[in-house]
Amino acid sequence: MAKLNIAPTKSNLLAVKEQLAVSTEGYDLLEQKREILVMELMRMVERVKLLEADMDACIAKAYPALKKMLMAVGGDRVERIAHAVNYKFEITKKPVVIGGMTFDTIDVVLPKRQLFSSFLGTFPESDEVMVDFFELLSLLTQMASIRTIVWRLAMEVKKTQRRVNALDKMVIPQDTETVKYIESVLEERERDNVFVLKSLKQRQGAK
C-alpha cells in the first residue's frame, strides 16, 4: 500500500496518527452499523415473505369469489352494485425508525363493514367479495411500505459496505504505512543526530 506523499516531520506524524485513530474508530462504528442494517434487512425480508404468502392466500380467495359473483348476477349488475357502494378509506402516513434510519410507512384504516345485501338489489356474495378485497387492500398497503423500507435498507447496506471497504482496504493501510515510514525516518535522523553529537564531543575531548 502506497504511503501518503507528505514530509516526514513530527507534526505530520501526529496528524497522521490522529487521522488513523479516527479512521479506525470510524471503521468499527461503520462495521457495527452494517451488521445492524443487515439484521434489520433480513428481518424485513422475512416479513415480505410472510406478507406474500398472506397475499397469495387472499388473492386465491378473493378473485374466485368475484368470478362466482360475476357468473351469478352478470357483469352489468356487478358494476351497478359497485357504483352504489360507497366506502371511505383513511390512509395515514407515519414515521418508523429501523436500524437508526427513519422511514415513512402507510397504514390504511378500513371502514366498518356494512351489509348491502338487504337493499339495492345486491346479494350476500357482494358482501363477501368486498370483505375479501378489503383484506387484500390492507395487505397491499403493508407490502408497499415494507418493500420501500427493504429497498432503502439494501441501498444503505451497500453504501455502508463501500465505506467500510474504503477504510479497510485504502485509508487505514495507507495511514499505517505512512506512520511507519515517518517513524523510521525520524528514528534514522535521531540516530544520525546522536552520532554527530558523539563525534563533536570526541573532537572536543581530543582538543
Side-chain angles (χ1 to χ4, degrees):
M1 174 59 65
K3 58 182 176 60
L4 294 171
N5 187 21
I6 59 176
T9 62
K10 289 185 178 180
S11 60
N12 282 340
L13 177 61
L14 292 174
V16 176
K17 280 187 173 181
E18 183 178 352
Q19 179 177 307
L20 179 58
V22 172
S23 298
T24 303
E25 183 179 1
Y27 171 82
D28 292 338
L29 292 174
L30 283 173
E31 183 64 20
Q32 292 175 20
K33 177 183 177 181
R34 187 191 67 82
E35 291 176 358
I36 292 172
L37 289 174
V38 169
M39 290 175 58
E40 292 293 345
L41 178 60
M42 298 305 297
R43 185 174 65 85
M44 297 304 292
V45 168
E46 288 300 317
R47 286 188 61 187
V48 168
K49 291 179 180 179
L50 293 174
L51 270 176
E52 286 177 344
D54 290 341
M55 286 176 60
D56 289 342
C58 187
I59 289 172
K61 181 175 60 173
Y63 281 93
L66 177 60
K67 182 178 179 180
K68 179 180 177 182
M69 180 179 174
L70 288 169
M71 294 177 64
V73 302
D76 292 338
R77 197 164 189 179
V78 168
E79 187 173 355
R80 289 197 300 272
I81 293 172
H83 286 301
V85 176
N86 182 22
Y87 272 111
K88 292 183 180 180
F89 301 94
E90 182 180 347
I91 297 179
T92 59
K93 183 174 70 174
K94 65 178 182 180
V96 295
V97 178
I98 299 175
M101 298 177 62
T102 302
F103 302 91
D104 287 330
T105 60
I106 298 175
D107 284 338
V108 58
V109 179
L110 299 177
K112 293 182 180 179
R113 181 180 176 183
Q114 302 177 27
L115 298 179
F116 288 88
S117 56
S118 60
F119 61 96
L120 297 176
T122 59
F123 301 87
E125 289 82 357
S126 63
D127 294 320
E128 295 175 6
V129 169
M130 281 186 282
V131 169
D132 292 338
F133 277 92
F134 282 168
E135 181 183 355
L136 182 57
L137 174 61
S138 177
L139 292 173
L140 284 171
T141 55
Q142 293 179 54
M143 179 64 78
S145 295
I146 292 177
R147 281 190 177 275
T148 300
I149 293 173
V150 167
W151 180 80
R152 286 189 57 193
L153 279 174
M155 294 300 294
E156 189 65 23
V157 168
K158 187 176 180 180
K159 183 170 67 175
T160 304
Q161 185 64 60
R162 284 199 302 266
R163 292 176 178 173
V164 168
N165 290 340
L167 289 171
D168 185 41
K169 306 299 183 183
M170 294 180 61
V171 177
I172 293 177
Q174 190 176 54
D175 288 347
T176 302
E177 191 68 25
T178 302
V179 167
K180 291 180 180 178
Y181 165 72
I182 295 177
E183 286 179 340
S184 66
V185 171
L186 293 178
E187 288 173 1
E188 183 66 27
R189 287 178 183 173
E190 186 67 25
R191 285 194 295 268
D192 290 343
N193 290 336
V194 171
F195 177 77
V196 170
L197 288 174
K198 284 183 178 180
S199 298
L200 289 173
K201 286 180 178 179
Q202 288 175 358
R203 290 179 184 178
Q204 289 175 354
K207 291 180 181 180

